Amino acid sequence: MKINHHLSDELLLDYAAGNLTEGWSLVMATHMALCPSCRRRLSAMEGAAGALLEKVEPHDVPEDSWARMKQRLEGIRIEEVKPKPAAPQKDALVFPEPLRSYVGADLADVKWQALGLGAYHLRIETADPTTQVRLLRIPAGKPVPEHTHVGKELTLVLSGSFYDGDELFGRGDVEEADDSLLHTPKASPGEDCVCLAVTEAPLKFSSWIVRLIQPILKI
Amino acid sequence: MSLDIPLEANTCHKDVPAPLRARASSVRALRVTNPNLTQTSNQILSNGEMARLLKAVASDRSIEAFEALFRFYAPRVRSFMAMKTGDRQVAEELMQETMVSVWNKAEQFDPERGNVSAWIFTIARNIRIDFYRRRRPSFDPQDPAFVTDDVPSADVAFEQVQDAALLRQAMATLPPDQLDVLKRAFFDDVSHSTIASELGLPLGTVKSRIRLAFEKLRAALEGRR
Ligand SMILES: [Zn+2]
């Protein structure tokens, strides 16, 4: 598997710093489970954070801080970490962790909901109200349905592939998009495309006039 | 800082190798709250020394080695925690949680995969995330669907920022505006889009500062080849 489309530096920085909400982190971590290259970039960023930590203006710690720490350590018994037996390599798994636990199943057992025109989706529950995460299954050769998202979007291909313009996105590839980018992703012919997508949750405007003009302005 | 603690620490646990003890006390001696000496204490605790101290904690449960790490990292982790919480009491508690975690997880540190400061940063970061009751899903290297790195391990060690000194040097050459964005992201716990609005800059400017900074750091690391 050759991944050609990776996470941007700014998204990786937000992940390394712990600044991303659950929805974005889920898609990024699932990409990184498939992508050693982004994991190496993440390590380099954490290395930069470590170097900054060394340089930070140190705080005075209270006089008794070390004494308290020492007392706590005395009460701790370190349990030997037994190395987990290496799980058998299963090539058949399509969803890596953390995604598989969120879905509660691998691709073969997903309980899809029909969107019409042969497309399916499954909402993935998170505790993050600022995003919507879902799996999408787009029929071979067809465009991605109801594609009028608001704000940022991050899509990870898990199975099959899609074209956006001339660019091909296959398993493991991510596409970052925002509303300034006009894009019309279309599944490649021959095989259904399964993607994991996170978008910003639609804003709930209270004013009826804003709701009325929202579709026109595409805000 | 009270004087009786170092004395006490030096008299018990006689099984600790002498060089370790010496190192621990030299760190203590420099841990004076004089900003001019911060630089010096950074140089004294080189990455190799930090890794040796942590290894002594992991294999011998050496309290002296841990104390040396505590003297160096506790004031910095506390400072890191205070930047977000702004509350001294909370910062102290979160620092203590972080250092207990360092003690408990010392065996899990793998020098092949990064340096001690980076590892302690990730522990502090995760404790801060827990404190704010957020969730940050992560990949699981034990998962059978996890794609392992097929680059030979010597090369991986190369790219895994094993040599923190090189990274420190490269960080020192970053322009202030790029360094400022990295500091805000790592310490103030805000996303790059929030940084843009805080600084009153277009999002594209912040993105390009981040990209330029990491291009420079990656180039410095690859320069070792
Ligand atoms: Zn990648």
Side-chain angles (χ1 to χ4, degrees):
Chain A
M1 178 179 61
K2 175 88 180 80
I3 296 177
N4 293 311
H5 297 90
H6 297 276
L7 299 165
S8 66
D9 278 340
E10 56 271 17
L11 266 187
L12 261 184
L13 172 64
D14 286 345
Y15 184 84
N19 300 335
L20 284 178
T21 63
E22 186 184 3
W24 299 101
S25 299
L26 171 58
V27 179
M28 294 186 65
T30 305
H31 169 79
M32 282 187 275
L34 302 174
C35 183
S37 157
C38 282
R39 291 202 301 272
R40 287 197 298 272
R41 289 166 63 217
L42 178 70
S43 292
M45 289 187 183
E46 290 169 346
L52 285 173
L53 183 66
E54 291 167 5
K55 288 280 207 176
V56 85
E57 179 88 26
H59 247 218
D60 282 333
V61 297
E63 292 274 323
D64 64 346
S65 195
W66 168 245
R68 283 179 58 213
M69 174 65 52
K70 222 175 140 188
Q71 205 166 22
R72 280 183 75 170
L73 300 187
E74 278 157 14
I76 294 173
R77 276 189 52 228
I78 303 291
E79 284 169 36
E80 229 174 284
V81 190
K82 293 191 187 79
K84 275 194 270 178
Q89 198 74 34
K90 282 188 218 154
D91 290 335
L93 284 173
V94 178
F95 298 165
E97 295 291 4
L99 176 63
R100 205 166 62 250
S101 292
Y102 271 84
V103 178
D106 197 37
L107 177 58
D109 300 311
V110 171
K111 295 188 174 59
W112 293 105
Q113 292 175 314
L115 282 171
L117 301 169
Y120 294 84
H121 80 155
L122 178 77
R123 272 183 200 279
I124 295 172
E125 295 300 324
T126 69
D128 174 9
T130 65
T131 56
Q132 275 182 0
V133 187
R134 56 186 186 165
L135 285 170
L136 281 165
R137 198 177 105 199
I138 308 134
K142 293 281 173 359
V144 177
E146 45 163 299
H147 210 76
T148 48
H149 60 82
V150 174
K152 285 185 295 175
E153 180 186 46
L154 184 66
T155 308
L156 166 68
V157 180
L158 293 158
S159 174
S161 60
F162 70 80
Y163 277 94
D164 195 353
D166 295 337
E167 300 254 29
L168 178 67
F169 294 80
R171 175 165 164 86
D173 280 328
V174 280
E175 184 179 47
E176 244 178 88
D178 61 32
D179 36 16
S180 67
L181 183 81
L182 184 72
H183 71 142
T184 49
K186 200 175 169 187
S188 308
E191 192 185 351
D192 286 2
C193 179
V194 176
C195 301
L196 175 67
V198 55
T199 50
E200 290 177 63
L203 299 167
K204 300 213 168 41
F205 290 104
S206 49
S207 149
W208 66 270
I209 186 112
V210 175
R211 275 206 309 272
L212 197 71
I213 61 170
Q214 202 177 343
I216 304 163
L217 296 178
K218 290 194 173 150
I219 50 177
Chain B
M1 189 195 308
S2 65
L3 277 171
D4 55 338
I5 294 166
L7 287 172
E8 185 195 5
N10 272 345
T11 45
C12 58
H13 294 271
K14 293 204 170 57
D15 51 340
V16 174
L20 242 169
R21 254 185 317 215
R23 203 175 298 119
S25 49
S26 66
V27 170
R28 270 196 298 279
L30 283 164
R31 236 294 298 157
V32 188
T33 48
N34 178 343
N36 298 330
L37 289 176
T38 315
Q39 189 70 24
T40 324
S41 77
N42 269 338
Q43 284 162 0
I44 286 196
L45 267 189
S46 76
N47 186 50
E49 283 168 324
M50 289 180 202
R52 273 194 292 278
L53 290 168
L54 194 55
K55 193 164 180 290
V57 173
S59 51
D60 310 330
R61 290 285 129 203
S62 161
I63 204 109
E64 281 83 4
F66 186 71
E67 187 182 359
L69 290 170
F70 185 89
R71 297 286 178 204
F72 183 79
Y73 284 108
R76 289 168 172 82
V77 171
R78 207 183 124 113
S79 180
F80 167 78
M81 293 302 185
M83 281 182 249
K84 168 85 175 174
T85 69
D87 180 314
R88 302 181 75 83
Q89 198 86 37
V90 174
E92 173 70 15
E93 286 315 310
L94 296 181
M95 178 277 281
Q96 291 256 341
E97 283 306 310
T98 303
M99 295 311 290
V100 165
S101 208
V102 169
W103 172 264
N104 289 340
K105 292 180 176 168
E107 281 91 349
Q108 294 169 33
F109 172 72
D110 177 1
E112 292 279 300
R113 294 183 51 209
N115 68 71
V116 176
S117 294
W119 184 69
I120 291 179
F121 165 79
T122 61
I123 291 175
R125 173 199 66 198
N126 292 347
I127 281 174
R128 188 169 71 175
I129 289 170
D130 287 349
F131 178 74
Y132 287 100
R133 296 173 193 283
R134 292 196 308 230
R135 285 194 201 164
R136 180 181 179 272
S138 184
F139 45 81
D140 174 10
Q142 307 292 323
D143 171 29
F146 183 82
V147 176
T148 51
D149 210 333
D150 54 7
V151 179
S153 70
D155 266 12
V156 175
F158 241 21
E159 290 185 45
Q160 292 287 13
V161 202
Q162 197 182 29
D163 190 349
L166 204 65
L167 201 63
R168 281 178 195 157
Q169 273 173 24
M171 297 284 287
T173 66
L174 288 183
D177 58 352
Q178 292 173 19
L179 199 59
D180 179 51
V181 171
L182 300 195
K183 278 185 187 162
R184 282 169 188 266
F186 287 126
F187 295 150
D188 299 350
D189 190 25
V190 290
S191 68
H192 69 275
S193 46
T194 307
I195 294 171
S197 57
E198 276 178 7
L199 294 173
L201 290 169
L203 193 55
T205 308
V206 171
K207 285 184 184 180
S208 72
R209 283 182 191 178
I210 293 167
R211 286 172 195 174
L212 288 170
F214 284 115
E215 264 166 35
K216 198 158 186 181
L217 297 181
R218 282 193 286 263
L221 292 171
E222 274 159 28
R224 278 187 301 183
R225 283 170 191 278

